[in-house]
Amino acid sequence: MATAVVGSRIKRREDPRLITGEAKYLEDIKLPGLAYAAILRSPYAHANIKSINIDKAKALPGVLGVFTGKDFADVNPLPCAWQAGGVQNNANTPRILEIDKVTFTGAGVAVVVAEDRYTAEDALELIEVDWEPLPVVVDAYKATQPGAPQLHENAPNNVCMEWTVGDQSAVDQALHSADIVVKQHILNQRLIPTPMEPRGCIAQYLAATGEYTIWMTSQAPHVMRLLITAFVFGIPETKVRVISPQIGGGFGAKIFLYPEYCLMPALSKKLGRPVRWMETRSENYISTTHGRDHITDIEVGAKRDGTITSLKVNTYANLGGVLSTIAPGIPTTLYGRMLSGAYKIPNIFCRVFGVYTNTGMVDAYRGAGRPEATYVVERAVDLVARELNMDPVEVRRKNFIQPEDFPYDPIILRGLKYDSGDYDKALDRALEMLDYANFRKEQAEARQQGRYLGVGFSTYIEICGVAPSAWIGLPGEGWGAALWESANVRVHLTGKVVVTTGSQTHGQGHETSVSQVVAGELGIAVEDVTVQHSDTLGTPFGYGTYGSRSTAVGTVAVYNSLQKIKEKAKALGAHMLEAAVEDVVFQDGKVHVKGAPDRAKTIQEIAGAAALAYSLPQGMEPFLDDTTYYDPPNCTYPFGTHICVVEVDPSTGSIEIKRYIAVDDVGNVINPMIVEGQVHGGIAQGVAQALWEAAVYDENGQLITGSLMDYALPRADFFPPFELDRTETPTPVNPLGVKGAGETGTIAATPAVVNAVVDALSPLGIKHLDMPLGADKIWRVIQEHTNGV
Amino acid sequence: MQVKITVNGTLHERDVTPRTLLVHFLREDLALTGTKIGCDTSQCGSCTVHLDGKALKSCTMLAVQADGSDVQTIESLAQDGPLHPMQESFWEKHGLQCGYCTPGMIMASIALLENNPHPSDEEIRHGLEGNLCRCTGYQNIVAAVKNASEKMGG
Ligand code: FES
Ligand code: FES
């Protein structure tokens, strides 16, 4: 990474089409003869479908077809591609339209296709369904108790899987001999990811060739093609081309295979027309996946000096009415295995029940398991500090994994080791930005005046760059595939470079950061690089973009191809310069003879010579072109310290965020501007969980927060400016030294805020509060505690 | 029903059904797809355009109600070539990630500066409360609007 282009804040290359409105998102694509689909969704959370009458809907002028689940009885249910590793999973997945029974409000049961969207929606109202409502359960703990309504025959007590990590008896023993043990019941409420662009799909079937082209809002187009062809339709992969057009955010919710992505191609085949379905926001809220939703009990044991000796965790993870594509993997591998946090905790045991309830599907949402784990760990550390009357900063320092401990084996990661870190350094920097000593003085004064000022810390780590295939795959963690990434780099005759990648970008700016790496390595202008992605035609297979893996895995694939291209360029350059390969170097876009920088050939000249192939060294193939499949040897482990300062107004219960400080270490950074943007957005989502957002179902399984009117998505005036800094500890895992930055903010922020509010209210004897910390709740808690005191 | 609506300087006479929303008229009838749809409850502001010089959520109005009006969409800003200073500022300050909220955000921001050429950060945050962005945490959007206000010498 010699050239300064890597590490610089260059403006994003994708922006011109976005700021002018020229970019084509799914709903902007129009095909000749396009027909419009609308889906009838279950108004009941749990019901049998006794019959469906579509006659009136069919008769409406402009309607092209009306179909129910029975019309697609020969199509397989969707696959669950990540079952919890090493245990029995009682999997139940959606069908493209449900046939006999629904287990959540919003499940699709019929579809109308019409000449325009208004007609399609009118026709939905003419479909008559004879429902037989069944008893409902929405709470994951209650669903496992005797007498609860049963959702699926193969899942007694609604348990999809019971999974454990760690040595239970060792933990019990350690808890027994601990100086103190703190127990806490902790809720991690359900959230709705809410990318600003909802989901959609357009499919076009060509009868002559039997081929489908499917445009979809997907973070993982290659995986979608694999699942649709091999698992749902049972047709060759080559019969389907999947294109993700411009994507308006995903945050996990667009990773998965959804029924509509299979339904549209099936409809296009039936009707001989291209068919489009575009979700409304209200539809998005009930039919697209949600995140989090854990009910947890923890016991944490410690010595009197603050050394944490044991952590025991029991979690009921709500998976919804049926399983989304990778639902069981999130609360197991990505949660239970992360419970050591940044600390040397010698004894950890975690049991997770994955539970079906009559609610929408739950799957990965930004952070995916790691925010839930970080919340548990960072709350636990604060609870210990509180119990011992110690400074939470000191308890953290006492338990931190030290720089010399790396690679660090937390045991519960089943052989993977934390790569690198200097946790104190990030903490020191953040404390300096806060001016901690002064803050505590200010807090003491505020308390004198009856003001509730608090500070909260989150010294998080996370796991990125998922993952070594053999570790995460079927024999290990139950992931039903591999997790390498691929890239192809071609240097065209004119010296312009085209990179094709299996990664997908939906806001992360890969076109820019990948171009920077290419430009830096080959010594060419960023503008001379084109990055192509998101179309299964013409890009090598890739597993897609999630788990902060596109830089730490996908871009490393690009980097490795660049090394091989440079080697070939050196060989050809030496040939052109009539020098021996050992006597030349590749530097700043040129191959030159060592000690004679003027005897040089530029990469453009070499690319031209490689393409023309008039004179190549013996045995060399024409063209500078290389493909890499990169399977990472380990994950990467970003870390940092987030600090939140709040003041609670006791008269209203409202919380003001006075400062928000974030010092993150994501390893080396390709474009600091992009990384900061990722951190800002991540913090906003994490703070929003702590204070405002919650997906709430009533007892009948109706989503009360079913639109943007009711779901408290934060607005610009909810936040103060975030104060950011970074430390840079490169990872030894990959040659770029990059760890990944897409999720750190979300993972870190939530406990920082909650810890701050609990700290503010600690004079009242408050030790824990469940999220979201809305003003009404805080006001009530203050009332209860002041009256009781 | 017959409507006459001037959009980005061109007069369009079209037949629309009475229930056609202005945003659908722009996107489907005129193929101006820069204006986005992010919700069905008038909450997100992705559909913000200018109607007779004022910012308007185009999903809240029927096309027939806009009869006789002058509408500007995101496509109008650089239609004669160079980017609008607000577009430049969003680019320079990294005020967008996925870009979905961006057309609406830019149109709302331009209107904001027309009403208040020298906004403070707080006034910007307040002024944009009708526009949701899920990606940026708003910080760089505020910086972009601030930057544009300086550029426009307001
Ligand atoms: S589309 Fe959301 S406000 Fe208009
Ligand atoms: S940039 Fe994605 S919603 Fe604003």
Side-chain angles (χ1 to χ4, degrees), chain A residues 196 248-249 251, chain B residues 95-102 105 132-136 141:
Chain A
M196 289 319 298
F251 313 113
Chain B
L96 61 148
Q97 289 178 26
C98 79
Y100 199 78
C101 71
T102 310
M105 204 58 96
L132 291 170
C133 173
R134 189 56 152 169
C135 296
T136 62
I141 291 177

Side-chain angles (χ1 to χ4, degrees), chain A residues 502-579:
Chain A
S503 298
Q504 201 283 326
T505 183
H506 44 283
Q508 297 89 341
H510 297 165
E511 291 168 35
T512 305
S513 52
V514 169
S515 299
Q516 286 179 262
V517 171
V518 175
E521 287 303 309
L522 295 184
I524 62 175
V526 164
E527 293 70 29
D528 287 347
V529 186
T530 301
V531 181
Q532 295 174 347
H533 54 83
S534 305
D535 183 346
T536 58
L537 183 74
T539 61
F541 190 97
Y543 283 94
T545 291
Y546 40 85
S548 302
R549 61 192 302 275
S550 291
T551 302
V553 188
T555 305
V556 175
V558 176
Y559 178 87
N560 286 353
S561 269
L562 290 165
Q563 304 317 308
K564 291 182 262 173
I565 281 187
K566 277 161 65 173
E567 278 311 306
K568 184 165 174 180
K570 260 171 71 178
L572 179 52
H575 175 76
M576 293 164 78
L577 292 163
E578 294 174 356

Side-chain angles (χ1 to χ4, degrees), chain A residues 196 708, chain B residues 23 36-48 57-60 130 132:
Chain A
M196 289 319 298
L708 276 174
Chain B
V23 67
K36 299 293 175 231
I37 301 172
C39 75
D40 44 12
T41 51
S42 314
Q43 299 292 306
C44 75
S46 305
C47 61
T48 306
K57 292 178 178 175
S58 60
C59 71
T60 61
L132 291 170

Side-chain angles (χ1 to χ4, degrees), chain A residues 134-218:
Chain A
L134 297 168
V136 167
V137 62
V138 298
D139 175 284
Y141 173 71
K142 287 184 190 157
T144 62
Q145 296 304 297
Q150 300 292 299
L151 274 62
H152 302 285
E153 266 169 30
N154 69 352
N157 302 317
N158 298 311
V159 174
C160 170
M161 79 284 173
E162 180 184 343
W163 177 94
T164 63
V165 56
D167 180 342
Q168 180 168 13
S169 66
V171 169
D172 285 339
Q173 243 167 37
L175 284 169
H176 189 75
S177 52
D179 293 341
I180 60 146
V181 173
V182 189
K183 297 184 184 183
Q184 185 61 52
H185 186 64
I186 293 179
L187 299 180
N188 198 301
Q189 82 273 31
R190 180 182 289 237
L191 303 176
I192 307 183
T194 322
M196 289 319 298
E197 177 200 35
R199 288 189 304 114
C201 180
I202 302 173
Q204 180 159 40
Y205 176 72
L206 293 181
T209 56
E211 287 171 2
Y212 300 85
T213 304
I214 313 173
W215 291 259
M216 62 172 83
T217 47
S218 177

Side-chain angles (χ1 to χ4, degrees), chain B residues 61-81:
Chain B
M61 186 182 252
L62 297 169
V64 293
Q65 293 173 298
D67 189 23
S69 314
D70 189 358
V71 176
Q72 304 272 317
T73 70
I74 186 76
E75 286 93 346
S76 71
L77 298 181
Q79 103 187 333
D80 302 323

